[in-house]
């Protein structure tokens, strides 16, 4: 009964004209940036962080959340119609979705993606509502040592789940940790790694770094690939899958929802890993695996359900523990911090309207998406004909205006440009920037919890081993490290992600 009361509180928060409007804006923006190749939820949320200054905290989180899961819907449109995923998690959808489009079944593929996404989003949001309160209750028992161990586990898990070389992923985490130490030490008041530059006294601007790494770098990367865009499939066909196709997609949607919900909670996982795992599972258990890659509808249903479920459940560690499980959740933590809210289990007790309002908005947002997306397919098709060379100047201007509006410091624009170039170079070197952002967010928090734990223990390092929860988390971290060092596991992991785009 208490849970029903909490959900009722959330619905009362979101079912107001203001919050309904921001939810609608969020899912529409999410769909739009998912449709347009060259953007993405991380870049868009980074660009919109300055906008959240003037909004109530719950309205800003509702809008940003809608952008994230809305992008999972929109990304499938370009994957199916032009074989170019608008969002990374839609890479797998392109394998069979585009082949269905070439056979005149684009409408059925788009409808399957929408149905799978809606069902998975609805179920995953229910899981968030059921699992978040007990996890938050457990987290309230965490002390400084437990939080430090949890953050170490999160960073190691992000390395394990990042694509490509383990060594490069570790290097990105370390670089993020180092960047997070720039600024004034809160304990001693000494400036660290500022090199005498006054603008760095308060640290590197998080929004400028995020816009550069995920906005400017994305623009530069997509300009490299503009000439290779696949011609648009203009024949959509019927939007209703046949009865036989409906029977074929029920199992994949259910399995994709379950698998995506589980993997979305893991640090570094989220929608991308869920989509790949769901596709691999369906191909493995299929009686006709040879059809995959040639237009199997199961290859559209499973990953689309999984990526949306993973997107929704990735809110669980962010809302309950204050630990971001992927770059978008790291940006959400930044949005909360901008509003003066410390992410963590206390949000549920101190800001229940915010906590339950965001969860309830996911149900409303998924309903908006299923009602709006299929009728708007014609509009998305026309938008795909816009050359990217006409889009990126507007995006660049928006980035510069947004980062300048934060503190009115021109230096923030130069920081953004610098990290945009750094991000582009990292992408060309096959170094995923996501672990860097997680390291940048978690680094200062880890340092603070480490110091606090040692102060409470009077400098005794064994405090991390004598506390049961901390010890369990560190042992799990050690187990992941051992598994990563096994040659067979490392080779198989890198092979699984070798086709994932940077």
């Amino acid at each position: 009964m208490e849970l029903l009361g909490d959900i009722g509180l959330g619905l009362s928060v979101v079912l107001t004209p203001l919050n309904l409007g921001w939810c609608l804006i969020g899912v529409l923006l999410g769909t739009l940036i998912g449709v347009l190749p060259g953007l993405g939820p991380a870049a868009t949320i980074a660009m919109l962080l300055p906008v959240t200054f003037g909004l109530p905290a719950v309205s800003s989180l509702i809008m940003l959340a809608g952008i994230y899961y809305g992008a999972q819907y929109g990304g499938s449109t370009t994957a199916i119609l032009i074989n170019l995923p608008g969002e990374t998690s839609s890479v797998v959808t392109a394998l069979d979705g585009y082949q269905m489009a070439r056979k005149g079944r684009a409408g059925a593929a788009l409808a399957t993606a929408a149905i799978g996404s809606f069902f998975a989003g609805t179920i995953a949001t229910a899981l968030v509502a059921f699992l978040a309160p007990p996890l938050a209750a457990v987290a309230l028992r965490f002390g400084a040592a437990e939080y430090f161990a949890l953050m170490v586990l999160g960073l190691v898990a992000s390395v394990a789940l990042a694509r490509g070389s383990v060594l490069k992923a570790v290097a990105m985490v370390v670089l993020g940790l180092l960047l997070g130490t720039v600024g004034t030490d809160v304990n001693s008041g000494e400036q660290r790694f500022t090199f005498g530059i006054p603008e760095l006294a308060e640290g590197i601007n998080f929004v400028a770094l995020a816009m550069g790494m995920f906005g400017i770098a994305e623009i530069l990367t997509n300009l490299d690939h503009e000439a290779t865009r696949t011609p648009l499939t203009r024949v959509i066909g019927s939007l209703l899958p046949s009865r036989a196709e409906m029977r074929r997609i029920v199992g994949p949607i259910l399995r994709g929802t379950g698998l995506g919900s589980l993997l979305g909670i893991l640090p570094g996982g989220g929608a991308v890993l869920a989509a790949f795992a769901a596709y691999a599972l369906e191909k493995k258990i299929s009686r006709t695996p040879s059809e995959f890659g040639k237009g199997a509808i199961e290859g559209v249903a499973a990953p689309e359900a999984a990526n949306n479920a993973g997107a929704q459940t990735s809110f669980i560690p962010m809302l309950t523990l204050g630990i971001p499980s992927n770059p978008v959740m790291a940006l959400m933590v930044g949005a909360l911090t901008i509003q003066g809210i410390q992410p963590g289990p206390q949000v549920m007790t101190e800001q229940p309207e915010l906590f339950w309002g965001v969860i309830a908005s996911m149900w409303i947002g998924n309903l908006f998406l299923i009602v709006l997306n299929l009728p708007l397919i014609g509009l998305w098709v026309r938008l795909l004909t816009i050359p990217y060379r006409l889009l990126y100047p507007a995006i660049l201007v928006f980035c510069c205006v947004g980062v300048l509006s934060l503190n009115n410091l021109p230096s923030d624009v130069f920081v953004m440009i610098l990290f945009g170039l750094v991000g582009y170079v990292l992408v060309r070197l096959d170094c995923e920037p996501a672990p860097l952002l997680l390291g940048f967010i978690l680094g200062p928090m880890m340092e603070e919890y480490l110091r606090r734990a040692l102060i409470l223990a009077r400098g005794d390092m064994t405090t991390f081993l004598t506390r049961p929860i901390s010890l369990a988390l560190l042992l799990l971290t050690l187990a992941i490290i051992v598994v990563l060092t096994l040659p067979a596991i490392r080779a198989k992991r890198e092979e699984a992600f070798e086709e994932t785009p940077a």
Side-chain angles (χ1 to χ4, degrees):
M1 291 300 294
E2 183 179 354
L3 179 61
L4 292 178
D6 291 330
I7 293 174
L9 172 63
L11 289 173
S12 69
V13 170
V14 74
L15 292 176
T16 61
L18 176 65
N19 289 330
L20 279 175
W22 285 114
C23 183
L24 179 60
I25 290 171
V27 296
L28 280 175
L29 278 175
T31 305
L32 176 63
I33 61 99
V35 167
L36 293 175
L39 287 173
T44 305
I45 290 174
M47 289 187 289
L48 289 176
L49 281 180
V51 178
T52 63
F53 277 148
L55 295 178
V58 64
S59 299
S60 63
L61 263 292
I62 285 173
M63 179 189 69
L64 297 178
I67 290 172
Y68 182 37
Y69 56 80
Q72 312 308 318
Y73 276 75
S76 62
T77 302
T78 48
I80 291 168
L81 295 179
I82 61 173
N83 199 28
L84 182 62
E87 163 55 17
T88 310
S89 58
S90 299
V91 170
V92 188
T93 306
L95 297 177
D96 286 279
Y98 183 63
Q99 295 303 319
M100 288 184 67
R102 293 184 65 183
K103 296 176 181 179
R105 299 294 292 155
L110 290 167
T112 298
I115 293 168
S117 296
F118 174 74
F119 177 83
T122 303
I123 298 301
T125 303
L127 288 176
V128 175
F130 279 105
L131 295 178
L135 280 176
V138 171
L140 288 172
R141 301 180 184 177
F142 278 30
E146 287 78 9
Y147 268 113
F148 173 77
L150 179 65
M151 291 176 185
V152 172
L153 173 61
L155 288 179
V156 172
S158 72
V159 170
L161 297 174
R163 55 181 177 263
S165 166
V166 173
L167 184 61
K168 290 179 180 178
V170 171
M172 291 298 96
V173 168
V174 173
L175 181 57
L177 292 173
L178 290 174
L179 292 173
T181 62
V182 174
T184 303
D185 180 18
V186 295
N187 290 280
S188 66
E190 295 290 330
Q191 293 189 8
R192 304 182 298 185
F193 306 112
T194 59
F195 303 102
I197 302 173
E199 289 80 3
L200 293 179
E202 295 184 6
I204 296 172
N205 188 303
F206 167 73
V207 177
L209 182 144
M211 280 191 179
M213 297 292 291
F214 292 96
I216 306 298
E218 280 290 319
I219 290 172
L220 295 174
T221 302
N222 281 281
L223 286 174
D224 278 350
H225 303 296
E226 172 67 6
T228 62
R229 183 179 295 188
T230 309
L232 176 67
T233 299
R234 296 183 180 274
V235 180
I236 304 299
S238 173
L239 288 175
L240 291 176
S242 65
R243 286 188 178 182
E245 288 173 330
M246 288 296 292
R247 286 193 294 269
R248 289 174 62 183
I249 67 175
V250 171
I253 288 176
L254 291 174
R255 287 186 289 269
T257 300
L259 189 59
S261 298
L262 175 63
L263 294 177
I265 302 174
L266 299 177
V272 179
L273 180 67
F276 274 85
Y279 187 87
L281 175 64
E282 290 304 314
K283 187 173 182 180
K284 193 173 188 67
I285 66 175
S286 174
R287 295 179 180 177
T288 56
S290 59
E291 291 184 9
F292 281 75
K294 300 177 182 178
I297 197 167
E298 296 89 343
V300 175
E304 282 302 304
N307 68 35
N308 220 35
Q312 308 276 27
T313 57
S314 62
F315 281 86
I316 292 177
M318 192 277 286
L319 289 173
T320 59
L321 303 173
I323 304 296
S325 58
N326 55 54
V328 173
M329 291 301 109
L331 292 166
M332 294 285 187
V333 170
L336 284 172
T337 306
I338 286 173
Q339 296 282 351
I341 298 172
Q342 178 62 41
Q346 70 278 2
V347 172
M348 180 181 290
T349 55
E350 297 176 4
Q351 304 272 347
E353 294 85 2
L354 170 69
F355 186 91
W356 291 105
V358 171
I359 291 177
S361 74
M362 296 180 191
W363 277 309
I364 305 298
N366 274 285
L367 186 60
F368 280 155
L369 285 166
I370 195 69
V371 171
L372 293 173
N373 264 299
L374 292 179
L376 290 177
I377 282 176
L379 173 62
W380 305 139
V381 169
R382 286 194 291 273
L383 280 174
L384 288 172
T385 61
I386 300 175
Y388 189 69
R389 66 178 182 274
L390 301 180
L391 290 175
Y392 82 85
I395 300 171
L396 281 174
V397 171
F398 192 83
C399 285
C400 293
V401 171
V403 76
L404 190 61
S405 67
L406 288 171
N407 302 310
N408 200 27
L409 292 175
S411 59
D412 287 342
V413 177
F414 292 111
V415 169
M416 178 188 70
I417 294 171
L418 172 64
F419 280 106
L421 296 174
V422 170
Y424 174 71
V425 171
L426 292 177
V427 169
R428 296 301 299 266
L429 295 175
D430 292 326
C431 294
E432 191 178 4
L436 184 151
L437 188 63
L438 293 178
F440 182 79
I441 287 286
L442 294 181
M445 298 168 65
M446 284 176 60
E447 181 184 15
E448 183 60 29
Y449 283 121
L450 174 63
R451 285 177 166 176
R452 195 177 302 173
L454 292 177
I455 289 172
L456 293 173
R458 300 182 182 275
D460 184 7
M461 291 291 293
T462 61
T463 185
F464 299 102
L465 303 178
T466 56
R467 300 172 69 95
I469 297 178
S470 173
L471 176 61
L473 292 171
L474 290 176
L475 288 176
L476 181 57
T477 303
L478 181 62
I480 294 174
I481 294 173
V482 170
V483 169
L484 282 176
T485 58
L486 297 175
I489 296 294
R490 189 168 65 247
K492 191 171 183 179
R493 170 189 167 280
E494 293 179 7
E495 179 183 354
F497 288 101
E498 65 182 358
E499 295 184 0
T500 306

